[in-house]
Amino acid sequence: MAAHFGRLRKGATTTAVAAVAVAALSASQAPGVTTDDPGRQAAGAAQPSGDANTGGAGGGATGDSPYYTDLPPLKSPNPSPSASPTTGTTVSVGEAEAGIPATVLDAYKKAEAELRASKPGCNLPWQLLAAIGKVESGQARGGRVDASGTTYSPILGPKLDGNGFALIADTDHGAYDGDPAYDRAVGPMQFIPSTWEWAGRDGNGDGKKDPNNVYDAALAAGHYLCRFDRDLSVQSQMNAAILNYNNSTEYLNTVLSWLEYYRKGTHEVPDGTGTLPSHSSNSDPGSSPSPTTPATPSTPSTPSAPSTHKPGGGGSTSPTPKPPAPSSPAPSPTPPTPTQTVDHLEDANTGKLTATAGSAFGTKVAVRAESKASKGVSKVRVRFTIIGDTDATFTGGESVATVVTGSAGTATAPALVAGEKTGDFTVRATVVGRVLGGLDYTATVTPRQADTLTRSSDTALTCVPGGEFADQVELKATYKGAVAGKVAATATLIKSADDATENDKGPYFKDADGKTIRTLTDLTTDADGVLKLPKLYADDATGTFLLRVNTTGGAVLTVELKVAAAAS
């Protein structure tokens, strides 16, 4: 079961006009009294619930829970590119609002990649997920997530009990929202439990669908937006998708404002340091906006009561003053996340990275995340990136892999698989969510090899002067007894066993134009290690001639060719 979203007043239909209206509303109104999460306030009129399979009568995924109305700065992010210290990719550096916490940003981009493969016609931009994530939860409270992408504490909307909100009785027995009486919107993308039950996804591959995990929530939001075969590159269909997420024109224009802002440039910031919004769609007029992180309130001084006279005369007395209200305790300092305690990466006994083209590397890249005291730090996300002109990949075909460190602080990348391109490339290890120097490893792909060549037939190769050889030379290559497929080879008609220079007489091949050639390069054995040479011809010279074939890896075979006049 789902429900409509609480709406702001109807009005602006364009992004520019709506921005002014929402900004004015945000500046003049304050959040309501119900707060289930720092900065996530409750408001809205009671609405009937809808059908879970459609996301509610109003098409909402979040049960009409309130959302942040903060708008992006008027100044766009600086489009000048720079290299991200954690990913090595080009990003734009701009204002703080353009910064997206590293793990949250990774979740949005991973969701976009998955949708690009599973629903290519949807054309989902990750910036749309970022815009919705900003409006729904302030990018998971500024990136307060652990190494697997799960929030350190649940992000919950208000009780949808019909008291100023939609009325949605409990549908999950409190499994997702911890409330056995009423439903609440849950997680970075604010799904209500009944919608999550069918829309939830496992975005980080841990076998669970957790609405409080940013990878799971981002992928679920992507699939939710891409329903009904929508093409989000068409503006009208994107608008419909956003309104289906929250049926409010103001919500639509706020999301579109952030989408446009993020498209002009973003940059990655460490987890837990993202900028938090401060204005909510359920603000009440006449009070100041609530900060996203509760501050310790100061204790107001108790005012003196005015003097009064007792009945019947006598002097004036003052009423017994009330004791001052106890001051609220200062919030406990937030302990640093494991990622924030990492000081550097150390190599974890990675061996030499060498493999033959087309084969797996026998060694894996392994690093250790360490604190300043050189102690291993567990539960830290380490990103391994393949850099350079290569077609090598990690197992599974990816060029980027993210691994969480174990109890000893060690993260081991998936096995590398060499492609067909030979030469060196780099594997870079960086800590996700920290601006730290990474570790670079050089990996080398060597050409395929053969150590033995044999003829497929023992038939003598003979020809008459001016004729052509009836049989073509066919060879088979092996390496350490196994078939050596796709091995490079060269065939040359040589002068003698002691002189490997090209002969100037005797048998020859023909090129594509029919011209005489006596050296063939760029030959390659097939998948079965077989190499079949083109047809050979003879000139007027008679005698025994030699054909020598060499392969990468050192295999050599010399074949005799006899040219003699036909017997009378």
Side-chain angles (χ1 to χ4, degrees):
M1 179 184 302
H4 307 283
F5 281 83
R7 293 170 174 75
L8 295 172
R9 57 186 175 81
K10 300 293 182 182
T13 57
T14 66
T15 301
V17 176
V20 175
V22 175
L25 181 65
S26 299
S28 64
Q29 295 180 337
V33 296
T34 304
T35 302
D36 292 78
D37 168 64
R40 184 74 190 184
Q41 296 83 19
Q47 304 259 356
S49 60
D51 180 2
N53 291 326
T54 63
T62 72
D64 291 352
S65 292
Y67 55 89
Y68 290 119
T69 58
D70 298 56
L71 292 170
L74 295 177
K75 182 180 179 182
S76 298
N78 186 348
S80 60
S82 65
S84 166
T86 56
T87 63
T89 57
T90 299
V91 296
S92 293
V93 178
E95 302 183 19
E97 285 290 356
I100 299 178
T103 299
V104 180
L105 179 60
D106 187 53
Y108 296 149
K109 291 185 176 181
K110 188 174 181 181
E112 180 199 56
E114 196 280 342
L115 267 299
R116 192 186 305 122
S118 61
K119 296 182 178 180
C122 179
N123 295 305
L124 171 76
W126 66 261
Q127 292 92 341
L128 176 57
L129 296 176
I132 291 176
K134 180 71 173 182
V135 169
E136 291 295 343
S137 68
Q139 310 299 18
R141 296 175 182 158
R144 291 290 299 164
V145 297
D146 64 17
S148 66
T150 302
T151 57
Y152 284 111
S153 58
I155 299 177
L156 297 175
K159 292 181 181 180
L160 299 176
D161 57 4
N163 184 21
F165 306 102
L167 174 59
I168 305 181
D170 175 65
T171 62
D172 65 330
H173 304 291
Y176 296 122
D177 55 15
D179 192 328
Y182 300 98
D183 273 351
R184 299 176 178 221
V186 183
M189 305 304 275
Q190 289 289 277
F191 280 94
I192 56 172
S194 55
T195 302
W196 182 262
E197 189 62 31
W198 58 267
R201 295 292 192 277
D202 177 15
N204 63 350
D206 64 357
K208 297 184 294 184
K209 299 176 182 178
D210 181 0
N212 279 301
N213 181 279
V214 69
Y215 287 95
D216 296 358
L219 183 59
H223 278 280
Y224 190 94
L225 294 165
C226 287
R227 293 184 305 156
F228 312 126
D229 295 324
R230 291 190 182 104
D231 179 358
L232 301 186
S233 65
V234 178
Q235 190 62 51
S236 61
Q237 296 191 38
M238 175 182 283
N239 292 353
I242 297 171
L243 288 170
N244 196 217
Y245 207 90
N246 184 326
N247 193 15
S248 161
T249 301
E250 288 76 11
Y251 180 90
L252 168 66
N253 289 321
T254 303
V255 169
L256 290 177
S257 295
W258 282 106
L259 169 63
E260 183 64 19
Y261 182 75
Y262 286 143
R263 275 178 164 166
K264 291 178 180 177
T266 61
H267 60 275
E268 180 182 288
V269 298
D271 290 343
T273 66
T275 301
L276 298 176
S278 57
H279 298 89
S280 174
S281 62
N282 65 314
S283 300
D284 295 325
S287 60
S288 302
S290 170
T292 55
T293 302
T296 304
S298 58
T299 303
S301 59
T302 304
S304 301
S307 299
T308 60
H309 291 274
K310 290 183 180 181
S316 64
T317 64
S318 298
T320 303
K322 295 182 180 179
S327 61
S328 300
S332 301
T334 303
T337 66
T339 300
Q340 291 170 334
T341 66
V342 177
D343 179 71
H344 59 276
L345 288 176
E346 285 288 336
D347 176 54
N349 299 317
T350 301
K352 188 176 182 180
L353 298 169
T354 304
T356 303
S359 65
F361 284 73
T363 300
K364 296 180 181 179
V365 177
V367 299
R368 187 169 184 257
E370 295 186 351
S371 64
K372 285 185 178 180
S374 296
K375 292 184 178 181
V377 183
S378 63
K379 298 181 180 179
V380 173
R381 292 170 59 81
V382 176
R383 180 181 293 134
F384 298 94
T385 307
I386 295 174
I387 301 171
D389 183 16
T390 181
D391 54 357
T393 64
F394 293 112
T395 301
E398 300 293 333
S399 60
V400 178
T402 304
V403 180
V404 178
T405 59
S407 58
T410 301
T412 302
L416 285 165
V417 179
E420 294 304 319
K421 289 185 178 180
T422 60
D424 295 342
F425 64 92
T426 299
V427 179
R428 177 169 297 162
T430 55
V431 176
V432 177
R434 286 300 305 276
V435 181
L436 296 173
L439 292 181
D440 284 354
Y441 295 85
T442 299
T444 303
V445 179
T446 59
R448 296 171 184 263
Q449 303 178 45
D451 55 16
T452 305
L453 277 174
T454 57
R455 276 194 64 197
S456 302
S457 169
D458 57 3
T459 303
L461 297 168
T462 62
C463 183
V464 296
E468 62 182 51
F469 288 80
D471 297 315
Q472 290 178 246
V473 177
E474 184 175 291
L475 312 173
K476 185 165 187 178
T478 57
Y479 182 70
K480 295 182 179 180
V483 168
K486 299 183 180 180
V487 175
T490 301
T492 306
L493 292 152
I494 61 176
K495 290 184 176 180
S496 68
D498 299 325
D499 186 354
T501 57
E502 181 180 292
N503 207 344
D504 55 1
K505 62 180 180 179
Y508 60 91
F509 300 104
K510 290 182 180 180
D511 64 12
D513 297 324
K515 296 179 180 179
T516 297
I517 56 172
R518 290 189 169 89
T519 299
L520 298 176
T521 58
D522 299 326
L523 300 173
T524 306
T525 63
D526 65 15
D528 297 321
V530 174
L531 175 63
K532 190 171 185 178
L533 300 182
K535 185 173 289 188
L536 277 162
Y537 302 88
D539 59 14
D540 294 336
T542 59
T544 300
F545 301 90
L546 300 179
L547 169 66
R548 180 162 292 173
V549 182
N550 302 270
T551 70
T552 303
V556 180
L557 180 66
T558 302
V559 181
E560 286 191 351
L561 307 171
K562 294 185 178 180
V563 180
S568 58

